[in-house]
Amino acid sequence: MVAAILLCLAKIPTLCIDPGHPSEVGLGTRGRHISEIKLAWQVAKRLEAEMKSRGWRVVVTKHSEGERVTNRKRAEIANACHADLMLRLHCDAASGTGFTVFYPDRQGRINGTQGPSKALLKEVRPIAERFHESLSHELRGFLKDNGLKSDIRTQVGAHHGALIGSIFSKVPVVLVEMCVLTNRTDESKLSSKIGQIRLASALAKTCAATFERSRTSGAR
Ligand SMILES: [Zn+2]
């Protein structure tokens, strides 16, 4: 009886998955055989299924692979569902290899809007650190870890002070560049079904671990 009451009182966590592009920033990058849009969408759908099976409430910022949603709107969708975490999925175009996690560490500004709030900046840092630590552990031996970095290390973030999706976010947000899609080895790993399942599973375990540690530490 007590256990049942405790179960009822336990908050169902909400994950907002944001598969990158198309947006006002563009169509993203592409490899030789798969686009960033397709890869982010496929990983998002696999992650959605896995998180639902873990009992999470999941909101995805797009209804279909090709749907164009602005980055402001994506943040507003995460805000509206009071997500415990907004997870943005992208792929990099660069000379290196592997994954990178980005988070806002200062306020940015776009069209007169400044954000995220200072309270959210304080909240998101330990969440991003836990998220990166867990993902690094889960992906060891599969994808190279390029570290946890500030939004300002991205092209858009360098211009605005933070990523647009971070500026409008009122919930903790991290962005994962899942791989370097212009790297042939990365592309071949993540365009395969088995590679996508491995990545989605690593992301699911990471979201669960991040939320569990946030809850036990009383951070959120
Ligand atoms: Zn992108």
Side-chain angles (χ1 to χ4, degrees):
M1 182 66 180
V2 173
I5 292 168
L6 287 174
L7 203 63
C8 290
L9 290 173
K11 182 181 177 291
I12 297 172
T14 300
L15 177 66
C16 178
I17 306 174
D18 178 35
H21 310 277
S23 71
E24 76 280 21
V25 171
L27 299 176
T29 187
R30 53 181 311 122
R32 295 201 317 161
H33 305 292
I34 193 167
S35 66
E36 179 179 359
I37 293 173
K38 184 174 281 298
L39 179 49
W41 178 253
Q42 289 177 343
V43 173
K45 297 310 282 182
R46 293 187 193 284
L47 177 59
E48 178 187 21
E50 183 147 350
M51 295 313 289
K52 282 183 173 170
S53 76
R54 286 170 176 263
W56 282 52
R57 179 173 164 244
V58 179
V59 174
V60 182
T61 56
K62 300 195 312 189
H63 297 97
S64 62
E65 183 184 313
E67 184 182 357
R68 183 186 185 277
V69 185
T70 65
N71 286 309
R72 176 179 184 156
K73 180 68 184 167
R74 291 166 188 260
E76 287 170 349
I77 290 167
N79 297 342
C81 70
H82 304 287
D84 292 280
L85 181 68
M86 181 189 193
L87 174 56
R88 309 183 65 203
L89 301 175
H90 283 253
C91 301
D92 218 346
S95 57
T97 174
F99 75 93
T100 313
V101 180
F102 292 92
Y103 76 107
D105 69 344
R106 66 200 71 185
Q107 289 185 316
R109 179 178 280 274
I110 185 165
N111 299 332
T113 297
Q114 186 166 297
S117 71
K118 288 187 174 159
L120 181 58
L121 288 174
K122 207 171 162 187
E123 183 183 358
V124 78
R125 187 188 181 103
I127 290 173
E129 286 171 350
R130 283 194 289 272
F131 183 94
H132 168 257
E133 187 189 331
S134 174
L135 191 61
S136 178
H137 173 75
E138 296 297 338
L139 290 177
R140 196 159 296 152
F142 181 58
L143 286 170
K144 178 175 176 264
D145 174 11
N146 294 308
L148 175 65
K149 296 181 180 174
S150 160
D151 276 6
I152 59 157
R153 302 279 298 277
T154 65
Q155 209 174 9
V156 172
H159 190 66
H160 297 293
L163 288 165
I164 299 167
S166 298
I167 292 173
F168 289 100
S169 190
K170 294 182 178 7
V171 299
V173 55
V174 293
L175 182 147
V176 180
E177 296 280 8
M178 301 179 287
C179 71
V180 177
L181 200 52
T182 47
N183 177 291
R184 288 187 187 181
T185 309
D186 279 15
E187 181 188 11
S188 100
K189 279 180 189 171
L190 289 190
S191 51
S192 75
K193 187 179 171 187
I194 198 158
Q196 289 182 10
I197 289 171
R198 173 144 190 203
L199 177 59
S201 167
L203 289 167
K205 285 178 188 159
T206 293
C207 289
T210 302
F211 180 75
E212 197 50 46
R213 286 178 61 188
S214 299
R215 195 164 54 173
T216 50
S217 70
R220 191 173 173 82

